[in-house]
């Protein structure tokens, strides 16, 4: 059927873009890097800047082929073996190997985005603006200044856009409807770990805010808009040898403002401000048992790793649970089983289904053991 692609799970978003974008088809959901596979996109039920309009990746999957640990090949989809399907969407690989998938693509007329930039003075203003006018944009994301405090807490820059129609491009650009992907620069060495400190992060944030004045209708190529980090190979070296961790939370609408304020305040007060903080608004959740997105707001934070950080984040997990929020398995490295179970009420149902799909408990991972998706020792489920 027109508009659907059937591919092996190892095909990447980059592969899809290379082959299908010049033919006028764009991935239905794309994360902040194009170097992820279709299998990985399903297994973490990834979300993009269009969740408020199009939902997460799983919503675009018509059908997938799954090789279970018991050696069975199952075909499942929203209307066929729906339990297996919705456990696999977001199931972090624990239901079996996704072999291939049939995915609905999005028709576009060019590889350009028409983007509006808008600076907002604090978190409350950002959220009101998103609620007021998000429906007019397919894509929307806000960069947040993780160091702003007091009345400016959560100030940021909204970057919202739609795929540009061919008729919206100026005549001089009409022969470059499909620009090629950009080249890549490289970070050649690990930065010293003191390079990212509260002072340098503060300077970076102030500069970023100053460099993004309000602008309307900017034409931006898809690669720069969706994948800014992909242009910088080995960008993780900026964090030095200690590396970094991500912390991504989602709160329901009712508690979002309080929950997000608390996260930002506690990290700033603990002297662990985020180098990069990104806010998005989520639309309704899909039925994925372990799918992360839920209606409300999500904040993703990149935090330089320091000795005191794990304890700070574990304490924060309790506050996230108290506000009815949850963490994203794709980004989490620290949450414990109790917190995870409180965040994802379908853990027990997932473990029950695994008894059928993986009777000998073959599949496991350190994430699965830590958050209680499989028994701790990884021993066979009984
Ligand atoms: C720079 C950057 C930006 C990102 N931005 C976003 C974002 O905006 N939104 C978002 O949602 N995520 C984002 N992510 C996270 C990323 O999209 C997910 O972690 C994604 O799942 C990675 O896919 P992968 O193909 O690299 O899989 P891997 O990292 O190799 O695996 C991820 C999970 O998928 C499982 N898996 C992979 N292939 C299969 C298969 N064939 N069958 C069964 N299970 C499988 C693995 O077991 C594992 O649990 C970002 C990551 C980076 C590095």
């Amino acid at each position: 059927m027109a508009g659907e692609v059937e591919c092996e799970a190892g095909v990447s978003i980059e592969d899809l873009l290379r082959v299908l974008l010049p033919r006028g088809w764009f991935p239905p959901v794309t994360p902040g890097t194009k170097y992820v596979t279709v299998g990985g996109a399903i297994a973490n039920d990834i979300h993009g800047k269009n969740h408020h309009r199009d939902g997460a990746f799983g919503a675009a999957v018509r059908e997938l082929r799954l090789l279970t640990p018991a050696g069975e090949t199952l075909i499942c989809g929203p209307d066929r073996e729906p339990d297996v399907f919705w456990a696999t969407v977001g199931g972090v690989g624990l239901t079996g190997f996704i072999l291939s998938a049939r995915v609905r693509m999005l028709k576009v007329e060019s590889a350009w985005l028409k983007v509006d930039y808008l600076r907002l003075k604090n978190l409350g203003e950002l959220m009101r603006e998103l609620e007021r006018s998000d429906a007019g944009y397919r894509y929307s994301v806000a960069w947040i200044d993780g160091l702003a405090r007091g009345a400016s807490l959560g100030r940021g820059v909204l970057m919202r856009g739609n795929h540009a129609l061919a008729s919206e491009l100026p005549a001089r650009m009409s022969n470059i409807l499909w620009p090629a992907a950009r080249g890549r620069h490289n970070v050649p060495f690990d930065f010293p770990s003191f390079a990212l400190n509260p002072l340098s992060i503060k300077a970076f944030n102030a500069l970023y805010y100053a460099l993004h004045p309000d602008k309307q209708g900017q034409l931006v190529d898809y690669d720069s808009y969706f994948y800014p980090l992909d242009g910088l190979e080995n960008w993780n070296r900026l964090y030095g040898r200690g590396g970094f961790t991500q912390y991504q939370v989602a709160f329901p609408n009712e508690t979002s403002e309080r929950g997000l304020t608390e996260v930002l305040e506690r990290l700033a007060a603990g002297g662990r401000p985020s180098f990069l903080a990104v806010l998005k608004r989520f639309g309704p959740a899909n039925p994925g048992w372990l799918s992360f997105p839920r209606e409300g707001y999500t904040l993703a934070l990149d935090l330089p790793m320091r000795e005191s950080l794990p304890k700070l984040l574990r304490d924060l997990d309790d506050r996230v649970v108290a506000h009815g929020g949850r963490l994203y398995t794709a980004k989490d490295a620290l949450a414990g089983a109790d917190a995870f179970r409180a965040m994802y009420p379908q853990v027990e149902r997932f473990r029950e289904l695994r008894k059928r799909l993986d009777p000998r408990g073959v599949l496991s991972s350190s994430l699965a053991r830590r958050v209680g998706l499989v028994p701790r020792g990884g021993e066979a489920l009984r």
Side-chain angles (χ1 to χ4, degrees):
M1 183 188 164
E4 289 182 358
V5 62
E6 182 153 16
C7 62
E8 291 182 3
V11 166
S12 68
I13 298 282
E14 185 193 24
D15 296 330
L16 291 179
L17 287 165
R18 198 180 52 248
V19 176
L20 295 178
L21 186 55
R23 292 172 169 79
W25 297 101
F26 198 78
V29 169
T30 183
T33 171
K34 55 185 183 271
Y35 303 122
V36 307
T37 63
V38 167
I42 297 171
N44 268 320
D45 195 19
I46 62 165
H47 57 271
K49 300 172 176 52
N50 56 340
H51 192 279
H52 62 290
R53 278 279 282 268
D54 301 313
F57 199 87
V61 179
R62 295 289 188 232
E63 204 170 74
L64 60 84
R65 266 189 330 125
L66 183 76
L67 175 62
T68 72
E72 213 184 340
T73 301
L74 294 176
I75 296 179
C76 60
D79 306 317
R80 185 172 178 179
E81 295 258 24
D83 276 5
V84 175
F85 180 74
W86 289 117
T88 301
V89 169
V92 281
L94 295 170
T95 57
F97 301 97
I98 301 162
L99 301 175
S100 64
R102 191 152 58 81
V103 179
R104 178 177 43 78
M105 299 287 285
L106 178 71
K107 186 79 188 128
V108 294
E109 289 187 21
S110 80
W112 296 88
L113 280 293
K114 238 178 114 180
V115 184
D116 294 343
Y117 297 86
L118 184 63
R119 284 198 294 206
L120 281 311
K121 290 196 193 88
N122 55 44
L123 183 65
E125 279 198 14
L126 259 176
M127 293 174 73
R128 299 300 88 76
E129 176 59 25
L130 284 169
E131 277 145 31
R132 193 185 64 76
S133 57
D134 229 17
Y137 298 91
R138 170 155 254 133
Y139 302 103
S140 124
V141 66
W143 164 87
I144 298 257
D145 179 351
L147 267 174
R149 309 276 287 263
S152 302
L153 185 101
R155 73 172 178 168
V157 182
L158 263 179
M159 301 170 227
R160 296 182 291 180
N162 290 305
H163 289 283
L165 303 175
S167 58
E168 289 175 319
L169 298 177
R172 69 187 152 78
M173 288 170 68
S174 57
N175 59 343
I176 44 169
L177 283 180
W178 315 107
R182 294 161 305 158
R184 303 183 79 189
H185 299 284
N186 187 24
V187 179
F189 57 85
D190 294 318
F191 272 45
S193 50
F194 59 79
L196 284 188
N197 57 53
L199 268 183
S200 63
I201 294 177
K202 192 169 185 173
F204 169 82
N205 280 292
L207 191 68
Y208 194 95
Y209 192 75
L211 286 178
H212 285 83
D214 298 354
K215 273 184 278 179
Q216 300 277 313
Q218 296 288 304
L219 285 170
V220 181
D221 68 276
Y222 76 97
D223 217 17
S224 306
Y225 182 69
F226 289 106
Y227 315 115
L229 275 180
D230 286 353
L232 197 60
E233 215 169 337
N234 297 316
W235 54 266
N236 51 309
R237 287 180 161 173
L238 293 174
Y239 290 91
R241 300 196 79 126
F244 74 106
T245 189
Q246 277 216 327
Y247 194 74
Q248 182 163 2
V249 288
F251 292 107
N253 278 321
E254 316 78 76
T255 58
S256 280
E257 193 161 350
R258 264 181 298 136
L260 294 170
T261 301
E262 197 166 333
V263 169
L264 288 168
E265 277 177 347
R266 282 187 177 229
L267 286 170
R272 301 274 72 98
S274 172
F275 179 48
L276 200 63
V278 174
L279 180 77
K280 293 179 201 168
R281 188 162 154 254
F282 279 157
N286 68 29
W289 296 4
L290 300 176
S291 177
F292 166 67
R294 59 180 307 168
E295 191 156 8
Y297 285 84
T298 181
L299 179 69
L301 303 158
D302 285 11
L303 302 160
M305 188 44 104
R306 300 286 181 270
E307 219 172 286
S308 57
L309 190 61
K311 159 106 181 58
L312 185 63
L313 295 184
R314 295 297 296 269
D315 290 345
L316 213 47
D317 292 350
D318 295 337
R319 301 306 307 150
V320 171
V321 169
H323 289 296
R326 58 169 61 143
L327 297 176
Y328 186 16
T329 43
K331 310 284 176 84
D332 172 65
L334 297 162
D338 290 344
F340 190 77
R341 197 176 287 262
M343 295 169 185
Y344 290 91
Q346 307 220 53
V347 166
E348 211 42 62
R349 189 178 179 201
F350 185 83
R351 285 176 60 132
E352 279 302 311
L353 181 76
R354 268 183 44 83
K355 287 183 187 168
R356 180 186 131 203
L357 300 177
D358 188 7
R360 289 189 296 128
V362 173
L363 283 181
S364 184
S365 68
S366 50
L367 164 85
R369 290 187 292 279
R370 173 167 54 79
V371 302
L373 288 171
V374 302
R376 268 214 159 259
E379 70 273 21
L381 292 163
R382 274 178 268 281

